Amino acid sequence: AYEILSGLVGSEMCIRDSLNTSAAKVEKAMEGLLPRSEGIEAPLLEAIRYSALGGGKRLRSFMALQSARLFKVEELYALRVAAAVEFMHSYSLIHDDLPAMDNSDTRRGKPSCHIKFGEATAILAGDALQALAFATLVWEETHPESGIRCRLDNALASASGGAGMVAGQMMDLVGETTSLSFDQITRLQNLKTGEMFSFSARAGAILSGAPSTEEDNLRKYAERFGLAFQIADDLLDLEGDPLEVGKPTGQDENANKATFVSVLGADRARNKAEILIEEAVIMLDKWDEEGQSLKDLARHILKRTN
């Protein structure tokens, strides 16, 4: 029992170190891609950098980098895709925090973009980050083959747009005034959260031109990961410390949001997340040791406190 416990503790420490190392690399890549200006539009670019840099768990970019390692993709290419993922994610958080959406004053332990810079500038900063995500993927430095760059761009558009993350956000708003079934909540979270994880997990396969069966395994891993991640997020909103979480808690209940926790209760939701994670891990069995970091990441999200 002591050896098993030591192994679990060791894996948790290892994944935390790996996440920190990955985040530093991705942050450097993002820094190099973000525009600078001293013109009258400078406040916009300050808001972009404020929101994109210096914070966040960088789980999606870590997933993209580890996916690329599975297929021995050059790290330079993977880092640019990882940066694009974080630009898209940052845009979504800026807009998610707006008064018309979740109306959150705090993000990542500091004032939300619209609190710091005003609503209009925040909207524009989000718009610019979304555009930068797509631009990053189509630049030749991201991959020498134009067909692969187009596939990346199309996959990100599908994951983030009106049939993906944005559709999930719309369902989330509807859920504030309409009772949603368990299946509807599952679809909501698959779209709002899962699709971007799916893109990140499949990035390495797309970059390498791997067979569709391998890409499908990673998609199934990400679907289960995304649902478990959202349950963990819902539980943090219910039980977490706002100072540790880095944003206000109790938001879901205050807004009458439809969540797994509101439907299942905390204990059943937590058990559901544990089952989903083990199902996700099974999807990586064909990669043995090479997939260990993604397996550790999946188990890590159930232990996170922010």
Side-chain angles (χ1 to χ4, degrees):
Y2 173 78
E3 289 179 357
I4 293 173
L5 181 60
S6 296
L8 291 172
V9 172
S11 294
E12 182 64 13
M13 290 177 64
C14 184
I15 190 62
R16 287 179 185 275
D17 289 344
S18 296
L19 281 166
N20 289 336
T21 300
S22 171
K25 286 183 177 181
V26 173
E27 185 96 358
K28 184 177 180 181
M30 293 169 68
E31 174 77 36
L33 290 163
L34 285 168
R36 291 183 181 275
S37 175
E38 295 179 358
I40 59 172
E41 76 278 18
L44 168 64
L45 301 177
E46 183 185 350
I48 290 170
R49 299 178 75 84
Y50 174 87
S51 298
L53 299 175
K57 295 173 284 295
R58 309 293 191 205
L59 297 182
R60 293 157 188 79
S61 52
F62 178 83
M63 195 178 280
L65 292 181
Q66 295 305 315
S67 170
R69 287 186 63 190
L70 294 180
F71 299 95
K72 298 177 173 55
V73 171
E74 187 174 329
E75 189 175 58
L76 174 63
Y77 302 156
L79 278 169
R80 292 177 66 87
V81 174
V85 166
E86 292 297 343
F87 293 148
M88 185 64 73
H89 183 53
S90 296
Y91 132 72
S92 74
L93 297 182
I94 292 172
H95 284 198
D96 200 42
D97 289 338
L98 289 167
M101 298 290 184
D102 282 358
N103 193 24
S104 180
D105 291 349
T106 309
R107 172 66 66 177
R108 294 172 173 172
K110 61 185 183 181
S112 300
C113 187
H114 70 277
I115 296 296
K116 178 81 171 176
F117 298 95
E119 287 183 43
T121 301
I123 291 168
L124 293 174
D127 292 344
L129 281 164
Q130 183 192 55
L132 181 58
F134 289 118
T136 299
L137 294 183
V138 297
W139 287 332
E140 288 187 6
E141 292 88 340
T142 300
H143 198 280
E145 295 183 27
S146 60
I148 284 179
R149 298 198 304 272
C150 285
R151 280 193 64 201
L152 287 168
D153 231 39
N154 287 337
L156 183 61
S158 177
S160 63
M165 179 176 66
V166 173
Q169 177 66 13
M170 185 68 237
M171 290 181 69
D172 197 26
L173 293 173
V174 171
E176 293 179 12
T177 56
T178 304
S179 178
L180 301 183
S181 68
F182 179 81
D183 287 345
Q184 287 174 320
I185 293 171
T186 299
R187 182 167 179 265
L188 183 166
Q189 301 302 354
N190 273 330
L191 293 173
K192 183 178 177 181
T193 305
E195 283 294 326
M196 284 299 295
F197 278 125
S198 176
F199 172 79
S200 302
R202 293 182 290 121
I206 296 172
L207 280 166
S208 70
S212 59
T213 52
E214 295 186 342
E215 187 177 335
D216 194 48
N217 277 1
L218 291 166
R219 185 196 303 274
K220 290 175 181 176
Y221 161 83
E223 285 174 352
R224 289 155 177 81
F225 179 100
L227 289 175
F229 174 88
Q230 190 58 53
I231 291 173
D233 212 51
D234 295 344
L235 288 167
L236 280 176
D237 187 72
L238 179 70
E239 306 167 344
D241 179 346
L243 293 177
E244 201 166 359
V245 174
K247 60 181 179 180
T249 55
Q251 298 279 86
D252 291 343
E253 188 174 5
N254 292 340
N256 196 35
K257 282 185 177 290
T259 69
F260 286 113
V261 173
S262 69
V263 170
L264 298 177
D267 290 340
R268 287 178 63 201
R270 190 175 285 106
N271 183 61
K272 176 70 173 175
E274 291 169 355
I275 293 169
L276 286 164
I277 288 302
E278 291 313 308
E279 290 177 350
V281 165
I282 290 169
M283 295 298 131
L284 301 173
D285 278 352
K286 78 176 295 297
W287 282 286
D288 299 323
E289 291 291 324
E290 295 164 318
Q292 191 59 50
S293 290
L294 287 174
K295 293 178 182 180
D296 289 344
L297 176 68
R299 292 181 174 126
H300 164 74
I301 63 166
L302 297 181
K303 303 179 180 69
R304 67 190 184 93
T305 57
N306 60 22

